[in-house]
Amino acid sequence: MNWKGKTAIVTGASGGIGSAVCEKLASLQMNQVITGRKMDVLEKLSAKACGLGAEVMACAGDVTDSAFRKSLVQNAVERFGSLDVVINCAGIAQNQHFEEVTEEDYDRIMNLNAKAPYFLCQTALPELRKSSCATIINITSVVAHKGYPFQSAYAASKHALAGFSKSLANEVYKENIRVHLISPGGVYTPMVALARPDLTPDMVSLPEDIANIAAFYLEMRDANAIVDEIQVHRSGKEPFA
Ligand SMILES: NC(=O)c1ccc[n+]([C@@H]2O[C@H](COP(=O)([O-])OP(=O)(O)OC[C@H]3O[C@@H](n4cnc5c(N)ncnc54)[C@H](OP(=O)(O)O)[C@@H]3O)[C@@H](O)[C@H]2O)c1
């Protein structure tokens, strides 16, 4: 389908995967509201995306803040006239022994990785209902399915993200609203460089790979065949593990 002129909100756009997603949507000539906390990074990305023919509005802020989330939806509608796609990329990971995770750590991770996308989807739904191609893509992780050691809070947050996404998908599919998950293993971004400095770019997926999967969901939007989730592992990892 032709996505030119459709509008997306992309959270975490100042990060590795989110910026690749933004560029991919720009190549489809989609309007975008992009977010992250670093305005300078968002502005550079916005200029690049505009160079590809997209219209992009950079909104810096904390996506755990409900007023900020509301402003993202409002900005999309006021600037571009509609909201068709929400891509939740913003996230944080923390490698910590279970007993060292404080309540503050837990809340910070859950608030960003699970609660913020939950309520951004809720805020966006009334506008998505007006779209003929409403699509939500939530970036979970391989840890939404596994229990790697030292990632208990991150795993809890990604299980929560996957869990509510599945429920939401079942609540809204009869209204022609699609909810998809992408569950990557290691992707070469600042996050993985911090968490797994032993992994080099040739051993992991690239942000562009994940952006291509997001674009695949969009390409399939009008098809009768629907893919709910795509799990991705890095090339160095054993298949079906
Ligand atoms: N990289 C991987 O190996 C991997 C694997 C599986 C899943 N994932 C998931 O993919 C998503 C993107 O990860 P990434 O690797 O691209 O990470 P990244 O490069 O570290 O980017 C994280 C993004 O989240 C934003 N963010 C963090 N806290 C925020 C807050 N309070 N409010 C608004 N934005 C906030 C950051 O914005 P600022 O930098 O501007 O603060 C940044 O844009 C995450 O959900 C992650 O869990 C990543």
Side-chain angles (χ1 to χ4, degrees):
M1 78 166 264
N2 184 3
W3 285 90
K4 184 174 180 178
K6 302 292 184 191
T7 304
I9 292 175
V10 181
T11 74
S14 50
I17 293 174
S19 61
V21 167
C22 169
E23 285 187 42
K24 189 72 198 181
L25 301 192
S27 73
L28 302 176
Q29 319 270 285
M30 289 180 69
N31 305 322
Q32 294 171 63
V33 173
I34 58 170
T35 84
R37 288 170 303 180
K38 300 190 191 88
M39 194 53 171
D40 54 329
V41 180
L42 292 175
E43 276 172 349
K44 272 189 205 139
L45 178 64
S46 171
K48 203 168 170 187
C50 290
L52 294 168
E55 276 198 60
V56 176
M57 183 175 189
C59 298
D62 187 337
V63 80
T64 65
D65 178 75
S66 71
F68 179 67
R69 289 192 299 268
K70 282 188 187 123
S71 75
L72 295 175
V73 174
Q74 212 172 347
N75 284 336
V77 174
E78 280 174 15
R79 168 88 182 262
F80 301 118
S82 69
L83 177 61
D84 306 286
V85 175
V86 174
I87 304 188
N88 282 298
C89 270
I92 34 167
Q94 191 160 310
N95 272 25
Q96 251 180 329
H97 195 288
F98 179 78
E99 288 166 293
E100 287 168 358
V101 176
T102 63
E103 287 198 34
E104 288 74 23
D105 293 328
Y106 184 88
D107 287 345
R108 192 164 42 85
I109 292 168
M110 290 300 283
N111 282 342
L112 180 62
N113 295 0
K115 187 177 172 187
Y118 186 108
F119 285 102
L120 180 57
C121 289
Q122 191 186 78
T123 305
L125 259 183
E127 294 304 329
L128 290 174
R129 281 200 174 94
K130 299 174 191 165
S131 167
S132 58
C133 52
T135 304
I136 293 170
I137 301 174
N138 290 335
I139 312 291
T140 53
S141 164
V142 66
V143 307
H145 303 279
K146 301 197 187 293
Y148 291 138
F150 313 119
Q151 296 193 1
S152 55
Y154 184 56
S157 71
K158 292 297 186 177
H159 275 72
L161 175 59
F164 93 69
S165 300
K166 291 175 194 173
S167 260
L168 175 60
N170 278 289
E171 280 189 37
V172 298
Y173 79 96
K174 287 187 177 154
E175 298 177 77
N176 192 29
I177 300 173
R178 300 264 168 86
V179 182
H180 303 283
L181 294 175
I182 303 176
S183 302
V187 185
Y188 198 72
T189 70
M191 175 185 283
V192 91
L194 267 180
R196 292 289 306 271
D198 53 310
L199 296 176
T200 52
D202 56 314
M203 296 162 77
V204 287
S205 308
L206 298 176
E208 294 73 20
D209 299 326
I210 308 306
N212 285 336
I213 294 169
F216 167 77
Y217 282 136
L218 299 185
E219 191 188 318
M220 293 288 286
R221 183 60 181 79
D222 276 350
N224 282 348
I226 299 172
V227 180
D228 295 323
E229 176 178 15
I230 295 181
Q231 294 188 28
V232 192
H233 67 85
R234 59 190 172 84
S235 59
K237 192 92 176 166
E238 60 277 21
F240 299 106

